[in-house]
Amino acid sequence: MKFLVNALHTVLGMATLCGALPGVSKERTGPALEKRANLQHISDFGSNPTGAKMWIYVPDSVSDNPPLVVAIHGCQKSANYYYANTPYSSLADQYGFIVLYPGSPNTGACWDASSQATLTRNGGGDSTSIINMLYYLLGNYGVDSTKIFVTGSSSGGIMAQTLSATYPDIFSAATVYSGVAATCFESAAGAVNAWNATCAQGNIRGTVAYWMNAAHDMYPGWTGGYPAMRLYHGSSDTTLHPPNLYEEIKQWTGLWGYSAIAQENQTDTPLPGYTTHVYGDNVQGVWAQGVGHPVPVNGDQDMEWFGLGS
Ligand SMILES: *[C@@H]1O[C@H](CO)[C@@H](O)[C@H](O)[C@H]1NC(C)=O
Ligand SMILES: *[C@@H]1O[C@H](CO)[C@@H](O)[C@H](O)[C@H]1NC(C)=O
């Protein structure tokens, strides 16, 4: 697959504009680095408007200019849960990338995907706090700005969508395990961390244009490309109901200029009972027949999608 390479050079420029970072350095120094190959807490990473927690995993085998995978937990879960129950840290051992595990500051440990603050670039919501964690890693760990990826499950998947639409210049590719389209969880009242039952039940239906505009409004004026997007959803999902998959597909195929009708359907891919719908090189929807919420993380597939596995 082809990766988006446009505009990633702006990352460092933006970091400078934000005034929050020292220059990017290849040196990895400081007390946080003494104990690698464990989950580490970083307490002061810069501006943190919502009080989100920052945890990282830096493998002993970390590459020079390492890629970065942002791996985001769902409701009632934690950074530590996601570290312990997903394969990203062992894949990091294998391939030398850093994993950032953000921790939700909200009641119920969901991510805010409903307030205007989080749905707006640099709006001061959870999405901004997570991006500032990422800038910290760019500034202090020599992360390769062209190899930044995001993934998440459930509410973490919704946040992965939110980040992909608000910071499309930062992320090369994303995978989403059982999320909803960016802005679908919006709160009409502007509430933070609100549950949007209409969206959850699969009853927010929009045209391709509706979903594209919704994403564009999160980063007005952006004319560059968007992250490559692979979207998983289970047919038996009773938390974020299955029609959400097609709404996500309309959004990301629209942003990529693809038809929302799959060009190729790969049955029993990547697992028996799953069908991978290919809309173009950079957008796929994976329908997991009989699977509930959320679809289990498929680490090897993520490595392939991110181009990290070889
Ligand atoms: C749920 O989200 C939709 C946008 O997806 C919005 O139009 C609607 O007002 C939201 N519902 C509530 C109760 O805020
Ligand atoms: C793939 O499946 C979808 C329905 O899920 C269908 O609309 C589309 O035409 C199929 N594409 C091909 C190439 O068979």
Side-chain angles (χ1 to χ4, degrees), residues 182-226:
T183 73
C184 189
F185 243 60
E186 191 172 6
S187 161
V192 173
N193 191 27
W195 184 259
N196 187 313
T198 316
C199 175
Q201 289 163 13
N203 291 325
I204 304 287
R205 310 285 174 88
T207 59
V208 169
Y210 170 84
W211 288 118
M212 284 174 67
N213 288 338
H216 285 145
D217 287 348
M218 297 167 83
Y219 181 11
W222 174 247
T223 54
Y226 282 82

Side-chain angles (χ1 to χ4, degrees), residues 92-286:
D93 288 339
Q94 220 176 323
Y95 300 120
F97 58 85
I98 294 176
V99 190
L100 165 61
Y101 297 97
S104 167
N106 302 311
T107 311
C110 297
W111 291 97
D112 175 23
S114 61
S115 74
Q116 284 311 306
T118 202
L119 295 175
T120 305
R121 184 182 179 88
N122 301 332
D126 281 343
S127 56
T128 304
S129 285
I130 293 172
I131 283 294
N132 287 342
M133 298 175 195
L134 189 154
Y135 287 154
Y136 176 90
L137 294 173
L138 275 166
N140 294 284
Y141 284 68
V143 164
D144 182 343
S145 64
T146 67
K147 292 182 182 167
I148 303 180
F149 311 97
V150 62
T151 184
S153 301
S154 188
S155 178
I158 301 177
M159 180 47 75
Q161 295 269 38
T162 302
L163 287 167
S164 294
T166 44
Y167 298 92
D169 48 338
I170 302 291
F171 299 100
S172 301
T175 59
V176 173
Y177 293 94
S178 311
V180 301
T183 73
C184 189
F185 243 60
E186 191 172 6
S187 161
V192 173
N193 191 27
W195 184 259
N196 187 313
T198 316
C199 175
Q201 289 163 13
N203 291 325
I204 304 287
R205 310 285 174 88
T207 59
V208 169
Y210 170 84
W211 288 118
M212 284 174 67
N213 288 338
H216 285 145
D217 287 348
M218 297 167 83
Y219 181 11
W222 174 247
T223 54
Y226 282 82
M229 184 64 65
R230 183 184 265 158
L231 305 154
Y232 292 82
H233 221 102
S235 71
S236 303
D237 192 327
T238 54
T239 306
L240 301 173
H241 289 232
N244 280 302
L245 177 59
Y246 192 51
E247 303 309 304
E248 294 174 278
I249 285 166
K250 281 184 273 184
Q251 186 165 56
W252 294 95
T253 54
L255 292 169
W256 272 96
Y258 299 152
S259 164
I261 297 170
Q263 299 304 298
E264 191 187 337
N265 300 313
Q266 302 166 347
T267 53
D268 293 325
T269 307
L271 294 172
Y274 287 45
T275 302
T276 295
H277 298 276
V278 179
Y279 298 89
D281 285 345
N282 296 289
V283 180
Q284 295 186 355
V286 183

